[in-house]
Amino acid sequence: MGKRVLGVDLHLDVGTGRRALEAALRDAVSSGRLPAGTKLPGSRSLAQDLGVARGTVVEAYAQLVAEGRLVSATGSGTRVADTRPPGKPAPETPSRAGFDLRPGRPDLGLFPRALWAASVRRTLAAASRESMDYSDLAGLKGLREAVATYLARARGVRVDAGAVVITSGFTHGLAVLARALRDTGVRTIGTEDPGLAHHRSVIHAAGLATTPLAVDAEGAALPGDAGAALLTPAHQHPRGVVLSPDRRAAFLAWAREHDGIVVEDDYDGEFRYDQNPVGALQAQAPDHVVFAGSTSKTLAPGLRIGWLVVPGRLRIPVLDAVAATGATVGTPAQLAIADLLDRGDYDRHVRRARQVYRKRRTELAARLAPLDGIPAGLHALLPLASRQEEKRVIDAGLAAGLRLQGINAAGYWHSAGRPEAGLIIGYATPPQHAWRPALDALTELLADAAIKPW
C-alpha cells in the first residue's frame, strides 16, 4: 500500500497518486462533509499541503468538475457543486415571526459600532506588548479604575478599583459568586419569586440550594435562613417594581445581623424614565452587598463584559473562582470599554438609548393598561386573567407574527400551580424601524384579551 498523507486544509487522508486524491475528494463531497458552495484550496497550496505535484491536483479537480461534483470559474476558484437531484428544493430555514417582543435584550441596532471600532483601533495602537499577556484575574487595572469611577458617579456605588472584578457578563459573575459563597460556608441563596430560572440553575450548578423570596408591590421578602440573597432592587425582573425603603432597610439589617450577603443585580439601572435612578443598595452596606452590572443592556449582550464590586472578605474567594472557571474577558474588549468610559462616549450612548426606550415605554403604556411596575428598564409586565389566557395570547401572537413571552412559560416561578399570569413585553428588542408596526400588531392582538391586575 502506498504512503498515506494528510491534507490539513481539507482534512484529507489519501494515498499517493491522482486516483487516490480523486477518491478522497469524491467521498468528501458525496458524504456531505464538504457541502455545496465550499471553496477548495488552490491547486498550488493543496499540492504543497499533500506533498504532490501541482499537476496531480489540477487533474483531480478537472475530473470532479467533469463529473459535476465541483465547479470552477476564473477568478472565483473551485467550489463544491450543488448535486441535489433536479426539482428537489433547497433545505428551508425555519420561518421566523415578524416581530420579536421577548424581553432580555436591548435594540441591537443601537450598538455604537463606529465608537466601538474607533476605541478598538485607538487602544490597540497604543497598547503595550505586555498588555497582551495573561492579565490580572480581576481585569485590567485601567478598566477597573474606569468602572469604579463610572459606578460611583452614575449609580452611587462606594467603590475603588481594588474592589472591582471584571467578568464575562452577569451569568459568569453569578457563577463565580456562587462558588465563592459556597467556599465561605453559604449553603442556600434566596432568589426572587418570580425571577429568572436561569439564575437558579447557575446557583444549583455551584452546589447551592435556592429558596424563594416572594415578590409583591414592595419587592422581595426577607430570605429566612438563607446565607445570601439575589435581588434586582432598582427594577425587579420581571414585575418591574422597586424594592421599597422599608424592605431595603430590612434586607440590610438582616445582612448585618446574620453576616449575610446581598447580591445586587443592577441589570438595567441606567434606564429610569420617571425620575432619578434609584441609588445602589451597596452604598448603604458595602461590606455586605455585592454590586453586579454588565454592558448587556446598555451596549449588547454579545460583548460578554460585566463587573462585580465585592466586599474585601470575598475578593480572594471570587478570584479563586475566576481562576477555576477559566473565563476572563479578552484584553482588546477591556481596553475598548475602558476607553469608552474614560472619554464619556459610554455615557453619551446610554443617554441616547434612554431617550429611545423612554419613548417606547410611554407609547406602550398609552396603548396598554395597566402595566405592572415603574417606567424603567427594557421590559414591562402586562398582567392577564389566567394561565390559559396567557397561553392563548402567546399562541395567537405566534400565528400573527409576534414572538411573545409569558411569565409562566419561561419558568419564572419557583413552583408550579401559581395562579398569576401575564406577558413580559420586551419593548426594547425590536429594531427602530419595526417598533411602531410591532406595537400596532400587539395592540390589535390584545384588543379582546382578558387583562387582570395582580
Side-chain angles (χ1 to χ4, degrees), residues 9 26 51 82 87 101 130 210 248 262 268 321 354 405 436:
D9 288 343
R26 189 179 293 113
D82 186 348
L101 286 170
E130 291 75 16
T210 56
R248 290 166 73 96
V262 174
D268 64 0
R354 188 185 297 126
Q405 182 168 300
R436 289 290 180 80

Side-chain angles (χ1 to χ4, degrees), residues 194-430:
L196 287 172
H198 178 60
H199 290 171
R200 298 196 297 273
S201 297
V202 170
I203 293 169
H204 296 161
L208 299 179
T210 56
T211 186
L213 309 178
V215 175
D216 58 24
E218 293 189 72
L222 285 173
D225 60 356
L230 172 61
L231 303 178
T232 50
H235 185 229
Q236 200 275 331
H237 187 89
R239 288 202 58 182
V241 298
V242 175
L243 192 67
S244 71
D246 287 346
R247 293 277 176 88
R248 290 166 73 96
F251 267 100
L252 295 178
W254 163 83
R256 293 186 180 104
E257 181 180 352
H258 299 278
D259 199 28
I261 291 291
V262 174
V263 181
E264 180 177 11
D265 177 7
D266 194 59
Y267 70 100
D268 64 0
E270 291 89 349
F271 299 115
R272 183 75 183 262
Y273 312 131
D274 58 344
Q275 54 187 287
N276 291 329
V278 176
L281 191 65
Q282 184 269 359
Q284 300 176 53
D287 291 336
H288 293 280
V289 179
V290 175
F291 183 90
S294 78
T295 62
S296 293
K297 305 299 184 288
T298 53
L299 290 174
L303 292 181
R304 308 312 307 145
I305 298 175
W307 43 76
L308 301 174
V309 177
V310 298
R313 59 185 166 130
L314 284 180
R315 180 173 173 79
I316 297 303
V318 164
L319 293 180
D320 287 345
V322 171
T325 60
T328 56
V329 180
T331 293
Q334 292 195 55
L335 292 171
I337 288 290
D339 184 65
L340 289 174
L341 288 167
D342 288 339
R343 296 171 62 89
D345 290 336
Y346 185 84
D347 293 72
R348 284 186 283 273
H349 168 74
V350 169
R351 286 195 292 270
R352 287 192 294 268
R354 188 185 297 126
Q355 292 300 320
V356 171
Y357 300 144
R358 173 187 284 119
K359 185 175 182 180
R360 293 190 189 186
R361 178 56 165 74
T362 300
E363 292 173 346
L364 180 68
R367 298 277 195 98
L368 301 175
L371 298 175
D372 202 18
I374 62 169
L378 310 183
H379 79 276
L381 176 66
L382 179 69
L384 295 175
S386 66
R387 298 179 68 156
Q388 292 76 17
E389 180 70 350
E390 177 184 311
K391 184 178 186 306
R392 183 194 70 79
V393 170
I394 291 173
D395 291 344
L398 192 59
L402 279 171
R403 303 182 77 176
L404 301 170
Q405 182 168 300
I407 199 168
N408 289 288
Y412 279 95
W413 301 105
H414 282 243
S415 59
R418 298 297 297 263
E420 293 90 345
L423 295 179
I424 308 168
I425 302 170
Y427 54 82
T429 304

Side-chain angles (χ1 to χ4, degrees), residues 46-287:
L46 184 57
Q48 292 175 345
D49 188 16
L50 296 174
V52 299
R54 183 187 179 195
T56 299
V57 177
V58 171
E59 292 175 2
Y61 278 3
Q63 176 59 34
L64 269 71
V65 168
E67 295 175 7
R69 300 178 187 275
L70 302 180
V71 291
S72 181
T74 302
S76 61
T78 302
R79 297 179 182 271
V80 176
D82 186 348
T83 58
R84 291 190 303 269
K88 183 177 180 180
E92 294 185 2
T93 301
S95 60
R96 299 186 65 182
F99 302 114
D100 191 345
L101 286 170
R102 295 172 299 171
R105 286 166 293 163
D107 179 351
L108 300 178
L110 296 180
F111 180 73
R113 294 172 183 263
L115 288 175
W116 179 261
S119 286
V120 170
R121 287 194 299 269
R122 185 164 47 244
T123 55
L124 284 181
S128 66
R129 180 179 64 86
E130 291 75 16
S131 67
M132 291 299 169
D133 201 350
Y134 294 107
S135 63
D136 190 324
L137 289 172
L140 295 179
K141 182 181 179 183
L143 177 55
R144 290 187 284 115
E145 291 174 342
V147 167
T149 300
Y150 170 75
L151 293 179
R153 171 174 49 79
R155 301 297 297 124
V157 177
R158 291 172 58 184
V159 57
D160 58 42
V164 176
V165 176
I166 303 302
T167 64
S168 184
F170 175 76
T171 298
H172 174 234
L174 180 59
V176 300
L177 270 176
R179 283 172 173 254
L181 290 170
R182 177 198 65 195
D183 293 344
T184 55
V186 172
R187 295 292 173 262
T188 303
I189 297 180
T191 59
E192 295 169 329
D193 189 22
L196 287 172
H198 178 60
H199 290 171
R200 298 196 297 273
S201 297
V202 170
I203 293 169
H204 296 161
L208 299 179
T210 56
T211 186
L213 309 178
V215 175
D216 58 24
E218 293 189 72
L222 285 173
D225 60 356
L230 172 61
L231 303 178
T232 50
H235 185 229
Q236 200 275 331
H237 187 89
R239 288 202 58 182
V241 298
V242 175
L243 192 67
S244 71
D246 287 346
R247 293 277 176 88
R248 290 166 73 96
F251 267 100
L252 295 178
W254 163 83
R256 293 186 180 104
E257 181 180 352
H258 299 278
D259 199 28
I261 291 291
V262 174
V263 181
E264 180 177 11
D265 177 7
D266 194 59
Y267 70 100
D268 64 0
E270 291 89 349
F271 299 115
R272 183 75 183 262
Y273 312 131
D274 58 344
Q275 54 187 287
N276 291 329
V278 176
L281 191 65
Q282 184 269 359
Q284 300 176 53
D287 291 336

